């Protein structure tokens, strides 16, 4: 069910992106993408920072008047790589059809089925069942259980979610299995102070050594997340820092072991949607700069 879980946020508080509530399934796609206003379409371009004539179209998203994604087109070197179309019944996703273009292309159709507090999906690639999944919600619409199956390889992952009395996610436990049995486990615990996420502690067995890590959060006076620190065995491994202007994320910096590795600078249009994102990745030899331009069209 990639549709329900994988979204690229143009700009948002990183701390809010750590999902402390699993209520994404009842939001519009514009809300999930942190877009405001009656957005009709978004085109994403990349640009070489030294050449303003080098705009390359990467993706295009189209939305209906209710804020739901109806089509997404992915481009590669100026050609269409794939298209995905979404069909709804009463604002509930009914079918998702992805077409990979080219001589080796194929079509994947995902059907969604709704029951009380439950959503199922089945994905068929050229009529062969390749993936299936299930989501179960509580009476507050929080996801309490999910299962994702890879039917081609006979593997699956299960997740269980626990919430506190304020509907904040406190524990997420994940177990993944292959044909020979369980081969991966992960538990995340969430700690809050005054309603704000303060810590996320990860314990995993992905390398069979159960070495996890801890994320610690800090906020400014407006409750915007301004800092994330990651510790392994209480040793600081990495840090993120964010600055805001008029409530909007303006600068985002990444460091590892005290050295800056990346920075992201955001600019916004009059609707407070990101229309430019500049990413500087610092390497040992040079800094690589990538500029993303977002062209918005709005419903009148």
């Amino acid at each position: 069910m990639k549709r329900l879980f994988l979204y690229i946020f143009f700009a948002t508080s990183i701390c809010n992106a750590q999902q402390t509530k699993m209520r994404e399934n009842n939001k519009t796609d514009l809300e999930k993408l942190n877009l405001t206003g009656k957005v009709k379409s978004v085109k994403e371009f990349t640009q070489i920072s030294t050449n303003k004539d080098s705009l390359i179209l990467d993706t295009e998203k189209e939305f209906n008047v209710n804020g739901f994604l109806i089509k997404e087109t992915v481009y590669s070197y100026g050609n269409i790589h794939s298209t995905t179309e979404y069909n709804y019944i009463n604002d509930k996703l009914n079918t998702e059809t992805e077409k990979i273009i080219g001589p080796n292309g194929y079509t994947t159709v995902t059907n969604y089925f709704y029951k009380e507090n439950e959503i199922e999906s089945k994905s068929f690639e050229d009529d062969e069942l390749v993936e299936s999944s299930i989501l179960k919600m509580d009476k507050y619409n929080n996801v309490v259980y999910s299962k994702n199956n890879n039917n081609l390889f006979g593997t699956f992952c299960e997740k269980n979610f626990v919430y506190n009395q304020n509907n904040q996610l406190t524990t997420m436990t994940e177990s993944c299995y292959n044909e020979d049995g369980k081969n991966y486990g992960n538990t995340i615990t969430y700690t809050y102070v005054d309603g704000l996420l303060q810590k996320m502690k990860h314990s995993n067995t992905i390398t069979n050594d159960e070495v996890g890590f801890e994320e610690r959060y800090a906020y400014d006076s407006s409750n915007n997340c301004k800092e994330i620190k990651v510790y392994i065995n209480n040793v600081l491994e990495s840090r993120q820092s964010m600055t805001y202007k008029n409530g909007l994320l303006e600068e985002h910096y990444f460091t590892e072991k005290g050295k800056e590795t990346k920075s992201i600078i955001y600019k916004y249009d009059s609707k407070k949607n990101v229309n430019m994102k500049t990413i500087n990745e610092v390497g040992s030899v040079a800094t690589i700069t990538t500029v993303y331009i977002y062209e918005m069209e709005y419903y009148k």
Side-chain angles (χ1 to χ4, degrees):
M1 292 179 70
K2 64 181 181 179
R3 170 75 159 91
L4 296 180
F5 290 108
L6 300 181
Y7 284 91
I8 300 175
F9 291 79
F10 295 111
T12 186
S13 166
I14 292 297
C15 299
N16 291 334
Q18 309 295 336
Q19 292 300 323
T20 57
K21 290 186 179 181
M22 298 297 291
R23 294 187 172 190
E24 290 298 293
N25 54 296
N26 70 340
K27 288 185 175 181
T28 68
D29 291 307
L30 293 181
E31 290 173 321
K32 294 172 185 178
L33 292 167
N34 202 38
L35 292 169
T36 62
K38 293 185 176 296
V39 178
K40 184 176 183 179
S41 67
V42 179
K43 291 182 180 179
E44 180 187 80
F45 300 84
T46 55
Q47 182 183 66
I48 300 173
S49 60
T50 57
N51 184 358
K52 293 184 178 181
D53 297 324
S54 64
L55 280 180
I56 300 173
L57 180 60
D58 291 327
T59 63
E60 182 176 7
K61 293 179 172 67
E62 300 174 39
F63 304 87
N64 63 21
V65 293
N66 294 326
F68 291 98
L69 187 63
I70 56 176
K71 185 176 181 180
E72 181 172 14
T73 305
V74 177
Y75 297 86
S76 177
Y77 301 103
N79 298 313
I80 296 177
H81 169 71
S82 67
T83 63
T84 306
E85 296 185 355
Y86 306 92
N87 175 262
Y88 300 85
I89 296 179
N90 297 325
D91 285 339
K92 287 187 176 181
L93 185 60
N94 183 44
T95 59
E96 173 183 344
T97 304
E98 180 185 40
K99 294 182 179 180
I100 305 299
I101 310 301
N104 298 317
Y106 56 89
T107 298
T108 302
V109 178
T110 302
N111 299 307
Y112 294 85
F113 308 91
Y114 298 85
K115 303 176 183 179
E116 185 177 0
N117 296 327
E118 189 173 296
I119 305 174
E120 291 186 46
S121 75
K122 293 183 179 180
S123 298
F124 297 85
E125 185 177 305
D126 295 334
D127 297 325
E128 179 183 5
L129 181 65
V130 292
E131 292 182 0
S132 59
S133 62
I134 185 171
L135 283 180
K136 294 184 179 180
M137 282 78 68
D138 62 17
K139 63 181 180 180
Y140 302 107
N141 206 37
N142 295 312
V143 175
V144 294
Y145 172 81
S146 70
K147 182 178 181 181
N148 294 276
N149 301 283
N150 186 316
N151 298 80
L152 288 178
F153 297 99
T155 62
F156 66 92
C157 289
E158 293 180 296
K159 292 182 181 180
N160 289 278
F161 306 87
V162 179
Y163 302 82
N164 61 22
Q165 61 184 4
N166 296 319
N167 283 326
Q168 292 173 313
L169 181 62
T170 58
T171 307
M172 189 284 290
T173 303
E174 177 182 23
S175 297
C176 294
Y177 302 83
N178 57 21
E179 295 177 341
D180 300 322
K182 182 178 177 181
N183 68 337
Y184 170 77
N186 183 37
T187 298
I188 304 175
T189 56
Y190 303 77
T191 302
Y192 304 86
V193 175
D194 296 328
L196 297 175
L197 178 65
Q198 297 294 317
K199 293 181 182 179
M200 283 177 61
K201 186 175 182 180
H202 303 249
S203 302
N204 67 73
T205 59
I206 191 169
T207 56
N208 297 318
D209 57 12
E210 297 192 17
V211 174
F213 61 95
E214 184 174 274
E215 301 173 43
R216 302 176 188 175
Y217 302 87
Y219 302 83
D220 63 20
S221 59
S222 298
N223 290 339
N224 295 310
C225 185
K226 66 177 184 179
E227 184 178 67
I228 303 174
K229 291 182 178 180
V230 177
Y231 293 83
I232 298 178
N233 292 328
N234 288 319
V235 177
L236 180 62
E237 291 290 320
S238 64
R239 176 178 178 267
Q240 298 180 44
S241 62
M242 291 76 78
T243 60
Y244 300 81
K245 184 177 181 180
N246 298 323
L248 299 175
L249 179 60
E250 186 176 45
E251 299 178 349
H252 188 173
Y253 295 93
F254 300 75
T255 61
E256 292 184 10
K257 298 186 182 299
K259 294 183 179 180
E260 182 177 325
T261 58
K262 183 168 67 174
S263 67
I264 306 175
I265 310 300
Y266 298 93
K267 293 185 178 180
Y268 299 81
D269 66 13
S270 60
K271 302 287 187 179
K272 298 184 178 180
N273 291 318
V274 171
N275 59 14
M276 180 181 292
K277 180 173 64 176
T278 303
I279 300 179
N280 297 297
E281 297 187 71
V282 182
S284 58
V285 178
T287 297
I288 299 174
T289 299
T290 305
V291 179
Y292 294 88
I293 307 294
Y294 300 97
E295 184 178 287
M296 307 279 181
E297 183 180 1
Y298 295 89
Y299 285 100
K300 295 181 180 179

